[in-house]
């Protein structure tokens, strides 16, 4: 019998991508025996429509720069290219249709995002063809989190110490002239300074 391919879809705003994200993807790849992790920088995420995000094309470029050294990581511009709001259901359905039933899909993201997951569009239908890996920061507590039985069966939590690094802290550091070296790949650091990103604190 042919083994199903196991594909991780790493969803996030990645504004900017940092070592916490990269360590999360690599840890998920190892623990869940994934053949490949596809990074999908969000286009217009539904919960951030009023936020001033860095343009999706720039977040995509930084994600490309960061993932080049890992042969198991690839980047998709699927959400970046879409005009519409990026619901995870639509994104995962597109990947499901692309890979067919020969692949098992795992959506990887931060546990903070997953806390609201029961409000996500068509979440119970999504569990028909997708599992979820939620990365937590050390000391993270999930006391009040409740999910439907269908989702609970498909949701895995994974503690990632490197997630002490956060995109919001990196943006704040750049705006305040503090160093960001060793928090993210050097190529991404260079891109940020070369293009003058995060000079002002926005949100
Ligand atoms: P967020 O709300 O900005 O992030 C929540 C937390 O998770 C932050 O601490 C963030 O850290 C962390 N995080 C985000 N992505 C991560 C990843 N891939 N690995 C590890 N930690 C991660 O979340 P977001 O980035 O905007 O959204 C996460 C994903 O959920 C996106 O793909 C988004 O489209 C999806 N989502 C879908 C719906 C929906 O379909 N209705 C609703 C909400 C979110 P950093 O700030 O350091 O990244």
């Amino acid at each position: 019998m042919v083994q199903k391919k196991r594909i991780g879809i790493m969803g996030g705003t990645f504004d900017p991508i940092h070592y916490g994200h990269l360590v999360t993807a690599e840890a998920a790849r190892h623990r869940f025996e994934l053949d490949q992790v596809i990074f999908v920088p969000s286009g217009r995420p539904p919960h951030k429509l009023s936020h001033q995000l860095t343009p999706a094309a720039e977040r995509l470029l930084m994600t490309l720069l960061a993932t080049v050294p890992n042969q198991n990581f690839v980047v998709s511009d699927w959400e970046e290219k879409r005009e519409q709001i990026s619901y995870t259901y639509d994104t995962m359905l597109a990947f499901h249709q692309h890979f067919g039933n020969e692949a098992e899909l795992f959506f990887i993201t931060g546990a903070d995002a997953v806390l609201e997951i029961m409000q996500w569009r068509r979440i119970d239908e999504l569990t028909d063809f997708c599992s979820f890996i939620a990365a937590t920061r050390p000391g993270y507590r999930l006391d009040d989190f409740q999910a439907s039985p269908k989702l609970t069966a498909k949701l895995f939590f994974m503690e990632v110490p490197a997630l002490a690094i956060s995109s919001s802290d990196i943006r704040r550091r750049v705006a305040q002239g503090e160093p960001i070296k060793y928090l993210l790949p050097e190529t991404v650091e260079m891109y940020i300074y070369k293009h003058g990103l995060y000079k002002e604190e926005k949100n």
Side-chain angles (χ1 to χ4, degrees):
M1 201 175 70
V2 183
Q3 275 258 310
K4 274 190 172 190
K5 264 195 146 197
R6 294 166 71 84
I7 309 284
I9 308 292
M10 180 78 173
T13 307
F14 304 134
D15 194 10
I17 189 161
H18 53 65
Y19 281 131
H21 300 130
L22 295 167
V23 169
T24 298
E26 184 62 7
R29 190 188 68 75
H30 177 74
R31 178 160 153 199
F32 294 89
E33 299 180 338
L34 307 178
D35 296 291
Q36 187 179 51
V37 178
I38 305 174
F39 284 68
V40 185
S42 51
R44 300 183 62 220
H47 60 310
K48 290 188 174 168
L49 294 178
S50 60
H51 291 231
Q52 284 188 291
L53 299 180
T54 304
E58 297 211 88
R59 291 184 282 109
L60 180 79
L61 267 176
M62 291 191 279
T63 307
L64 273 167
L65 289 172
T67 51
V68 164
N70 191 320
Q71 61 175 356
N72 300 305
F73 290 175
V74 294
V75 179
S76 163
D77 62 359
W78 198 83
E79 287 198 2
E80 186 260 338
K81 279 197 312 208
R82 277 164 63 91
E83 302 276 302
Q84 299 98 313
I85 296 174
S86 332
Y87 292 105
T88 297
Y89 175 81
D90 298 333
T91 303
M92 294 307 289
L93 185 62
F95 281 105
H96 177 57
Q97 286 166 347
H98 175 77
F99 287 107
N101 289 327
E102 283 69 53
E104 229 180 308
L105 300 182
F106 295 79
F107 185 74
I108 310 162
T109 196
D112 284 346
V114 166
L115 286 183
E116 305 290 320
I117 199 168
M118 287 315 298
Q119 276 89 60
W120 288 15
R121 185 163 183 257
R122 301 172 85 167
I123 185 63
D124 267 349
E125 284 168 68
L126 190 45
T127 57
D128 289 339
F129 56 87
C130 171
S131 299
F132 294 85
I133 302 170
T136 63
R137 298 193 151 94
Y140 195 89
R141 310 236 352 178
L142 283 157
D143 298 345
D144 299 328
F145 179 71
Q146 285 191 339
S148 65
K150 236 179 134 185
L151 179 60
T152 304
K154 293 264 193 130
L155 177 59
F156 307 96
F157 288 92
M158 184 179 72
E159 188 175 292
V160 181
L163 278 178
I165 302 172
S166 77
S167 298
S168 57
D169 181 56
I170 290 173
R171 295 195 300 272
R172 182 197 60 75
R173 282 167 174 269
V174 175
Q176 298 187 359
E178 292 176 23
I180 56 170
K181 200 169 272 305
Y182 311 125
L183 299 176
L184 72 183
E186 207 169 354
T187 46
V188 179
E189 181 189 349
M190 286 160 71
Y191 186 96
I192 289 170
Y193 291 129
K194 186 170 176 182
H195 295 272
L197 303 186
Y198 313 125
K199 279 186 181 161
E200 289 161 34
E201 269 182 271
K202 287 177 185 156
N203 44 53

